[in-house]
Amino acid sequence: MRAQDTRLGIALMVATTFIFAVQDGLSRHLASEYNVLMVVMIRYWFFAAFVATLAARRAGGLRAATTTHQPALQIFRGALLALEICVMVLAFTLLGLVESHAVFAAYPLLIAALSGPVLGERVGWRRWAAIGVGFAGVLVILEPGWGVFAPEAAVPLLAALMFALYGLLTRFAARADDAATSFFWTGAVGAVVMTAAGLWTWEAMTPTDWIWMGCLCLTGVLGHFTLIKCYEVAEASAVQPFAYLQLVFVSAIGLLVFGETIRPNVALGAALVVGAGLFTLWRARVQA
């Protein structure tokens, strides 16, 4: 198993959140024009082709990439991620980017809190304090009321639960399989699952939307690879506060591209969660 590098893990998490924010903006546009299952299916076709090409260029080729000590775990986490993406993209069409991510922001809290009992990682009181501050920021963003907790809000909440489980399983898989193996199984399993579900929803796309689809495929490949590498080099509880930066990035896209509104409570909550992440980085440096 690779030696832990918290600083590198944090940098990878920040990059991942930005890539995922761009990806979500592209997904919202395409899913508003075409069936959600078809959009995710095409993305996974490109994803699977990329991981197969990457694996073929490595020592040992495809045989080495497909060799895993935990096939059931890899299949489950690959299918889980594909289904989670469908649920979250559906949320974008129901609530928009800002509100969907306001609810989805609960997932890093779930991962950080469960990393101890599930993965056996040590979570000190200072990290718990940072998690608490981040959770307070989420509450400020949510501004609990009937508008937020409408039935549609259950869709991104379900996605948060699914993605938290995927994150924990990715970290667990890294104990026995390297990042390249997990990357291959993520793409291959997701492509099979989405083809079975989405082939029946095919619609003709415009040339312009094919360009946007290509951009979506590229962000999907890059984002999942950086996430896998992140969990491989750092403890989940150390990097999760930085996942909240996706709120900042996706809110900016929602405001500038889709004309969504960002209320003062969203800005205040984002400041709290970013502050929690910066505090965790400072603690990592002190401990080093």
Side-chain angles (χ1 to χ4, degrees):
M1 182 177 176
R2 178 175 296 186
Q4 299 294 285
D5 188 337
T6 300
R7 292 184 182 182
L8 177 58
I10 289 170
L12 288 169
M13 178 57 76
V14 173
T16 298
T17 57
F18 176 75
I19 295 167
F20 280 167
V22 174
Q23 175 184 270
D24 290 343
L26 294 169
S27 296
R28 183 191 168 180
H29 164 68
L30 291 169
S32 65
E33 301 293 332
Y34 307 98
N35 188 280
V36 170
L37 295 177
M38 187 191 84
V39 171
V40 179
M41 175 185 67
I42 296 174
R43 168 182 157 182
Y44 263 102
W45 285 351
F46 282 79
F47 188 15
F50 176 81
V51 298
T53 301
L54 192 65
R57 296 171 62 88
R58 295 179 67 244
L62 287 173
R63 172 174 291 185
T66 57
T67 300
T68 174
H69 301 285
Q70 43 202 355
L73 174 63
Q74 294 287 10
I75 291 173
F76 181 74
R77 58 176 290 278
L80 180 64
L81 179 63
L83 295 176
E84 181 274 328
I85 291 172
C86 292
V87 173
M88 193 59 183
V89 173
L90 175 62
F92 297 155
T93 66
L94 297 175
L95 299 175
L97 289 175
V98 176
E99 283 199 22
S100 294
H101 273 279
V103 179
F104 186 74
Y107 95 82
L109 295 173
L110 297 172
I111 292 180
L114 294 174
S115 61
V118 174
L119 301 179
E121 297 177 355
R122 181 180 178 276
V123 183
W125 70 268
R126 291 179 180 84
R127 286 185 186 173
W128 278 115
I131 293 170
V133 171
F135 182 70
V138 171
L139 292 180
V140 171
I141 293 171
L142 287 177
E143 199 178 35
W146 293 106
V148 173
F149 291 104
E152 292 83 0
V155 180
L157 181 59
L158 174 61
L161 291 171
M162 296 171 71
F163 196 66
L165 179 57
Y166 168 78
L168 290 168
L169 292 178
T170 298
R171 173 67 181 174
F172 189 85
R175 296 180 173 182
D177 295 331
D178 62 19
T181 297
S182 291
F183 193 43
F184 177 85
W185 282 84
T186 299
V189 173
V192 172
V193 170
M194 291 313 308
T195 299
L199 198 58
W200 317 103
T201 64
W202 184 267
E203 304 173 54
M205 295 181 63
T206 66
T208 300
D209 283 336
W210 272 113
I211 294 175
W212 291 125
M213 178 61 74
C215 294
L216 176 64
C217 294
L218 290 176
T219 56
V221 168
L222 183 59
H224 296 310
F225 183 71
T226 55
L227 183 65
I228 289 171
K229 296 294 290 185
C230 174
Y231 287 127
E232 186 181 57
V233 303
E235 290 186 357
S237 56
V239 300
Q240 282 314 305
F242 289 84
Y244 289 119
L245 284 172
Q246 189 169 351
L247 273 172
V248 180
F249 296 140
V250 83
S251 295
I253 292 173
L255 174 66
L256 298 175
V257 179
F258 296 100
E260 299 180 14
T261 58
I262 299 181
R263 295 167 292 166
N265 62 295
V266 175
L268 176 59
L272 288 174
V273 296
V274 171
L278 293 176
F279 175 80
T280 302
L281 175 59
W282 176 75
R283 282 300 308 167
R285 289 179 176 174
V286 170
Q287 291 176 342

